Amino acid sequence: MIKGIVIVNNSGKPRLVKFYQNVFGEDRQQSVIRRVFQQVSTRPDSFCNYLEGSVPEWGENIKLIYRHYATLYFVFAVDAQESDLGILDLIQVFVEALDKRFENVCELDLIFHSDRVHYILDEIVMGGMVLETNINSILQAINDQEKMHADSMKKAGPSDSVDAISTKLGAGRNW
């Protein structure tokens, strides 16, 4: 099971954090992010991308599987049952989906379009379980969602109130 996904830049600033096993309290979450960053950032790029890590909030036997792309570390914290190569492939699929969506993804895309990044991630992983690894299926789902969003925006005029929009969408006042 995937315990969490952390994307941090080379300075350790988190750009996307998703915990699938609860870490209660902001201080403990920051501690997990710091610990994960310290463990992966100190390794030379020539080393392998698997690291047996210790993250007390998730217990022992946690593997940190990561890829370092330009200024970003994509880190997946998983339990011992997950395949190292499978998770590396999953990271590759995630980055490819981001790349195709944002046309050469960069750190600013993760910052300014975090809602879309989370949607892409939710198409791939939900609740710590892998849902989809086929890049074409992922991109199709993303395109479908964007088309539905565009259609709903066409129905709603720029000056419509919330009540007018809900009525146009068929919800009326009982939503």
Side-chain angles (χ1 to χ4, degrees), residues 28-73:
R28 292 183 77 190
Q29 291 175 357
Q30 293 295 325
S31 173
V32 167
I33 296 166
R34 242 186 331 275
R35 191 174 294 112
V36 166
F37 174 71
Q38 288 169 350
Q39 290 183 37
V40 298
S41 66
T42 57
R43 295 169 58 90
D45 285 338
S46 60
F47 280 22
C48 72
N49 297 357
Y50 315 107
L51 179 64
E52 292 286 335
S54 174
V55 181
E57 288 80 2
W58 290 323
E60 298 298 320
N61 299 327
I62 297 299
K63 295 187 289 187
L64 300 177
I65 302 171
Y66 68 96
R67 293 292 303 262
H68 186 205
Y69 293 101
T71 63
L72 295 170
Y73 287 95

Side-chain angles (χ1 to χ4, degrees), residues 11-172:
S11 302
K13 293 192 188 285
R15 297 304 179 204
L16 180 135
V17 178
K18 190 115 180 188
F19 293 126
Y20 295 107
Q21 181 176 339
N22 285 337
V23 178
F24 296 105
E26 187 175 332
D27 292 341
R28 292 183 77 190
Q29 291 175 357
Q30 293 295 325
S31 173
V32 167
I33 296 166
R34 242 186 331 275
R35 191 174 294 112
V36 166
F37 174 71
Q38 288 169 350
Q39 290 183 37
V40 298
S41 66
T42 57
R43 295 169 58 90
D45 285 338
S46 60
F47 280 22
C48 72
N49 297 357
Y50 315 107
L51 179 64
E52 292 286 335
S54 174
V55 181
E57 288 80 2
W58 290 323
E60 298 298 320
N61 299 327
I62 297 299
K63 295 187 289 187
L64 300 177
I65 302 171
Y66 68 96
R67 293 292 303 262
H68 186 205
Y69 293 101
T71 63
L72 295 170
Y73 287 95
F74 289 75
V75 184
F76 281 52
V78 300
D79 60 19
Q81 296 171 345
E82 292 290 338
S83 164
D84 299 346
L85 291 175
I87 296 297
L88 268 180
D89 186 48
L90 193 64
I91 294 171
Q92 183 67 32
V93 167
F94 180 43
V95 171
E96 280 182 35
L98 290 172
D99 231 12
K100 291 191 186 215
R101 173 58 190 94
F102 296 112
E103 298 175 14
N104 202 7
V105 68
C106 67
E107 187 174 346
L108 291 175
D109 291 322
L110 300 180
I111 295 168
F112 292 117
H113 303 289
S114 62
D115 56 333
R116 293 180 184 160
V117 174
H118 277 277
Y119 181 75
I120 293 169
L121 182 59
D122 288 345
E123 284 296 318
I124 299 170
V125 177
M126 183 70 71
M129 304 300 285
V130 177
L131 293 179
E132 185 63 66
T133 58
N134 183 325
I135 189 74
N136 294 325
S137 297
I138 295 164
L139 293 174
Q140 184 61 47
I142 293 164
N143 291 338
D144 291 347
Q145 189 271 342
E146 288 179 359
K147 184 176 181 289
M148 287 189 297
H149 177 72
D151 290 347
S152 70
M153 294 306 288
K154 286 178 189 174
K155 289 181 181 178
S159 62
D160 286 344
S161 68
V162 172
D163 289 335
I165 292 170
S166 63
T167 302
K168 284 183 181 181
L169 295 175

